[in-house]
Amino acid sequence: MKKNAQCTIMAQGFGQMKRLLGFAAVLIFSAGIFAATLKDAQDRLSAIEEFKSGILSSSPSGFFSDEEMDALNLLYQVLEGDEYTVNSLNGEMQFSIGEYSLVETKWPTEIQAFFFGGKISYERSVDIMYSDAMEKKYVPEPQMTEYQRRDYEYYINDYETRIRSGEKFFYAELTFKLTHWHGASEYRFEPAALKIYKNSKRPQAIITIDETQSKDFFTFAEEKEFRTEKQIERNSARIKKLLKDENKNASTEKAKKKDIIFTEQKGRRAFYVSAETSTDNIDFSSTDIASYSLDNMYGTLTLGLGKFIFAGISAGIDLPSLNENVPVYSFGGIFGLNLNLGTHIRPYGQTSVYARTDDHVVFKTGAGIDFKLGKFMLNLEYSYNWSNNVNASVKDEETEKFGSYTAGIGLTW
């Protein structure tokens, strides 16, 4: 009689397991067909716990077999494979909007939500700027035309009226993922992005905030260990690999952001005209700008040699020599290194040598910076100079040392 009762219990257990496996199959095949919601997340978590309880009720050892663990892992995959969406339109999140600030040109908002029976709380303050709401640049009031002022006042009054009347003119939407973690019923809550929508004829996100760095953990149900030591080790190895992959991806993203600093890194390519003034105060002790006068005008062409190197040629004229009706010309070569910092700033260092028609050779070493606006370029440079007379008939002439400042304008590509 006792044996028959055990067989009946086992038969019932296998029947329940079969039913739960069928339910799991439905979940697996239906996943991804529709956008997953908070309710889907809760239903899947509940299904997992029911599945575990159903198998444990018929397990004489109190542990899962490897085959049963494989079936449970399919449910975990369904849970982890989707991204869930929750928004303030249906009351799943509280979204309060403060009054519009004329001074700061924004609507302050507060977002608050509690998920999975209050085990996860989410809070965020977001400012909806007028420029975000209108999807165009805000023009300061003193600079507004009469038409722009009327337009501004109309939309502020209209939006305020609609918001205060209870219309959900703006709403918040959060997407998140869930991952089974170390404990038997422990999960990681991973927000992905928070979006603020303007609920017009075609609702569209006007603000998107990356939330991937915010992670939290919760236990969905009472912890009942059902795994063997070997199965726990496998799960720990899975999480270790997951964290390693996340760190690797984070490093890759960090490297990408770093690469943005060196946008389109290449050797300096430019053609520009510059004016130079010289000073004997190479220690920068003189601040009398009025005492400086223009000494040379140059036309310079540089071409990149790889990512960081450039070389070029330059030709100039000595301006004081024009007053003596004996123009002195300079012809030189340039070699240097440069770095692109973003799309607008390009510092560089270079050395150059010039042969002048007054029998002098001038060596220069210095640093400069290009300010780029598209293909247009402004240039500032400082150089330390050595000048020697190579005329053999001139005896015992000392090397002249001086500093020079250069400002230029031209094109870059």
Side-chain angles (χ1 to χ4, degrees):
M1 185 74 180
K2 187 175 180 181
K3 186 175 180 181
N4 290 336
Q6 288 179 336
C7 290
T8 302
I9 292 172
M10 289 183 66
Q12 290 175 344
F14 285 125
Q16 187 176 16
M17 179 180 171
K18 187 176 180 181
R19 180 178 62 82
L20 289 169
L21 282 171
F23 180 60
V26 171
L27 282 179
I28 292 166
F29 288 114
S30 64
I33 297 177
F34 306 103
T37 64
L38 175 62
K39 186 178 184 305
D40 290 322
Q42 292 171 327
D43 288 346
R44 290 171 185 177
L45 286 170
S46 297
I48 288 171
E49 295 305 320
E50 287 182 24
F51 183 83
K52 286 160 37 179
S53 297
I55 293 179
L56 287 174
S57 66
S58 61
S59 173
S61 66
F63 294 100
F64 273 34
S65 67
D66 286 344
E67 291 76 13
E68 291 167 340
M69 198 69 207
D70 289 341
L72 179 60
N73 284 335
L74 287 177
L75 288 182
Y76 286 142
Q77 288 175 25
V78 173
L79 179 75
E80 297 174 353
D82 249 328
E83 193 169 72
Y84 303 92
T85 301
V86 56
N87 64 54
S88 60
L89 284 175
N90 53 16
E92 293 173 331
M93 292 197 299
Q94 295 179 8
F95 185 41
S96 58
I97 305 175
E99 292 186 0
Y100 182 78
S101 169
L102 290 171
V103 176
E104 298 176 288
T105 67
K106 69 181 184 182
W107 283 274
T109 75
E110 294 290 335
I111 300 165
Q112 189 176 46
F114 297 94
F115 305 130
F116 310 113
K119 295 173 182 177
I120 293 293
S121 62
Y122 176 85
E123 296 180 2
R124 166 70 84 164
S125 298
V126 180
D127 291 330
I128 302 177
M129 306 303 296
Y130 177 81
S131 55
D132 294 326
M134 298 305 298
E135 299 177 81
K136 65 180 181 181
K137 185 178 180 181
Y138 169 74
V139 178
E141 285 198 67
Q143 301 174 22
M144 287 182 181
T145 64
E146 188 61 31
Y147 171 78
Q148 287 173 326
R149 186 179 300 278
R150 288 199 304 269
D151 195 52
Y152 176 67
E153 292 174 352
Y154 169 79
Y155 281 109
I156 293 301
N157 290 330
D158 180 51
Y159 286 16
E160 270 291 300
T161 300
R162 297 168 76 171
I163 292 169
R164 301 310 149 206
S165 68
E167 181 181 341
K168 295 181 179 179
F169 188 67
F170 296 115
Y171 68 91
E173 180 182 270
L174 177 70
T175 54
F176 65 89
K177 298 192 74 174
L178 295 173
T179 303
H180 176 237
W181 213 243
H182 286 288
S185 297
E186 183 187 19
Y187 299 88
R188 185 175 72 171
F189 176 79
E190 312 165 28
L194 173 68
K195 294 183 179 182
I196 305 299
Y197 281 83
K198 180 179 176 181
N199 199 6
S200 52
K201 291 181 180 179
R202 291 183 178 180
Q204 52 189 330
I206 56 174
I207 297 174
T208 300
I209 300 173
D210 183 359
E211 294 282 52
T212 54
Q213 299 305 311
S214 304
K215 294 178 173 66
D216 206 352
F217 299 87
F218 68 99
T219 301
F220 183 74
E222 182 183 352
E223 287 278 11
K224 292 181 179 178
E225 190 55 75
F226 56 89
R227 301 166 296 179
T228 64
E229 289 294 328
K230 190 174 182 180
Q231 290 167 352
I232 292 174
E233 288 177 6
R234 287 176 185 169
N235 188 60
S236 296
R238 178 187 68 89
I239 294 173
K240 186 176 180 181
K241 182 180 183 303
L242 187 150
L243 291 172
K244 183 178 180 180
D245 291 342
E246 286 182 355
N247 290 332
K248 184 177 179 180
N249 291 335
S251 299
T252 302
E253 288 299 317
K254 189 175 181 180
K256 286 180 180 178
K257 290 179 180 179
K258 186 176 180 182
D259 286 343
I260 292 173
I261 298 176
F262 305 107
T263 303
E264 296 182 0
Q265 177 60 47
K266 59 186 177 183
R268 186 172 178 248
R269 300 177 182 181
F271 174 76
Y272 57 101
V273 177
S274 56
E276 179 186 71
T277 182
S278 303
T279 174
D280 293 331
N281 298 294
I282 56 178
D283 60 353
F284 304 101
S285 60
S286 175
T287 56
D288 186 8
I289 304 299
S291 65
Y292 296 130
S293 60
L294 292 181
D295 295 314
N296 295 283
M297 291 288 295
Y298 293 101
T300 303
L301 172 68
T302 64
L303 295 174
L305 303 175
K307 284 191 173 183
F308 299 95
I309 302 173
F310 67 92
I313 56 175
S314 182
I317 184 170
D318 185 281
L319 297 179
S321 68
L322 295 177
N323 298 326
E324 301 173 5
N325 296 321
V326 184
V328 176
Y329 300 99
S330 301
F331 302 94
I334 299 170
F335 183 82
L337 300 172
N338 69 271
L339 192 64
N340 288 352
L341 297 181
T343 57
H344 301 297
I345 299 175
R346 180 172 60 196
Y348 64 90
Q350 68 179 31
T351 58
S352 56
V353 57
Y354 285 87
R356 291 165 53 100
T357 56
D358 62 353
D359 298 330
H360 281 76
V361 173
V362 180
F363 298 90
K364 294 173 176 279
T365 184
I369 187 168
D370 297 327
F371 299 95
K372 302 183 293 178
L373 299 171
K375 292 188 176 181
F376 180 72
M377 181 188 82
L378 296 175
N379 165 261
L380 295 175
E381 182 184 309
Y382 174 79
S383 295
Y384 186 79
N385 304 264
W386 296 265
S387 178
N388 283 300
N389 194 322
V390 294
N391 191 329
S393 63
V394 179
K395 303 292 186 181
D396 302 324
E397 183 176 309
E398 292 184 1
T399 299
E400 186 181 0
K401 301 176 183 179
F402 57 94
S404 62
Y405 301 95
T406 305
I409 185 171
L411 299 174
T412 185
W413 59 94

